[in-house]
Amino acid sequence: MSRSRSTKKRPDAYHHGDLRRALIDAALRTLTRHGVEELSLRALARDLGVSPRAPYRHFATKEELLAAVAVSGFRASASFTEERLVAAGPDPLARLRAVGEAYVLFAVQHPAAFRIMYAPYATVNENAPELLRARAEGHAAAMAILEDAQRAGLVREGDPMQLALAFWSTMHGLATLLIEGQLARHDRPIDAAFLATLVSGLLLDGLKRP
């Protein structure tokens, strides 16, 4: 009597289409614990229980994988921000404030992704089309809100790109200081949400039409 063999896959086996996402998620877990220099495709393959060459079917280099991690971060950031825009309602100033606060809070809650989204150019494949598109879409969404505020007469006149740069660089600076622990104080806990609200409010006071 013949005995049928089990065809059940191992829990760590990935069918076609799953491994790319698994590599991105595994890379983020590694980056949460270690720096970029500790990340390698072969190590991720070992952690995921696949052959050492399997990751190379999806990413030719570590820089390509990091670009995909950045794209994933921009998409997650867009969803995170959209939730706050819905709550902010139609008022352009409230929406602009929501964008600034969401930027900081996303960074604090997802520091590993945030660092890769804005990593030095040598770290990530900056020419990856998906990354260029994801980054441009994020910038365009924020610019559209600022331009709405200008058209409504709520924000001062001037080059919207320059105004957006001032707004972004300030919120980016706060986000970076927070995730790098440079604002930590032993006598008082740091409230990232409070700081994000305070700084974005001060910025809007400066951007409002005189």
Side-chain angles (χ1 to χ4, degrees):
M1 185 174 179
S2 63
R3 186 179 299 173
S4 62
R5 294 182 178 179
S6 173
T7 60
K8 186 178 180 181
K9 292 184 178 180
R10 292 180 299 124
D12 59 359
Y14 292 91
H15 61 72
H16 180 70
D18 287 346
L19 183 55
R20 188 179 192 279
R21 180 73 250 176
L23 286 164
I24 293 171
D25 292 342
L28 268 173
R29 289 193 296 270
T30 298
L31 292 166
T32 299
R33 301 188 301 269
H34 308 290
V36 173
E37 63 279 356
E38 300 294 324
L39 184 70
S40 78
L41 289 168
R42 294 180 73 86
L44 293 177
R46 183 173 60 251
D47 292 344
L48 293 172
V50 297
S51 73
R53 295 204 57 80
Y56 292 92
R57 292 197 292 269
H58 301 278
F59 304 106
T61 65
K62 181 171 80 171
E63 289 73 24
E64 285 190 9
L65 170 60
L66 288 171
V69 170
V71 170
S72 177
F74 277 111
R75 289 175 177 165
S77 177
S79 297
F80 187 89
T81 302
E82 183 59 29
E83 293 178 6
R84 283 147 184 80
L85 286 173
V86 170
D91 178 65
L93 288 181
R95 291 172 66 79
L96 196 56
R97 187 167 191 160
V99 167
E101 292 175 2
Y103 188 91
V104 173
L105 294 178
F106 179 84
V108 170
Q109 294 178 28
H110 307 276
F114 186 82
R115 289 188 183 100
I116 298 304
M117 289 161 64
Y118 298 100
Y121 289 167
T123 304
V124 174
N125 179 5
E126 284 289 316
N127 294 318
E130 274 192 298
L131 176 54
L132 294 173
R133 184 165 53 251
R135 185 171 288 164
E137 287 172 354
H139 293 168
M143 278 290 297
I145 294 172
L146 191 147
E147 289 170 343
D148 284 345
Q150 276 191 315
R151 282 191 291 270
L154 301 172
V155 167
R156 65 176 60 241
E157 296 178 355
D159 183 352
M161 180 64 74
Q162 296 300 319
L163 298 180
L165 179 60
F167 189 80
W168 172 78
S169 59
T170 302
M171 302 313 294
H172 183 80
L174 175 59
T176 301
L177 289 170
L178 285 167
I179 68 174
E180 299 304 336
Q182 294 178 4
L183 297 181
R185 292 180 54 172
H186 297 293
D187 62 332
R188 183 183 309 174
I190 296 298
D191 187 335
F194 171 79
L195 283 175
T197 299
L198 174 65
V199 172
S200 63
L202 292 171
L203 272 171
L204 285 179
D205 286 343
L207 287 172
K208 285 178 183 177
R209 190 169 185 170

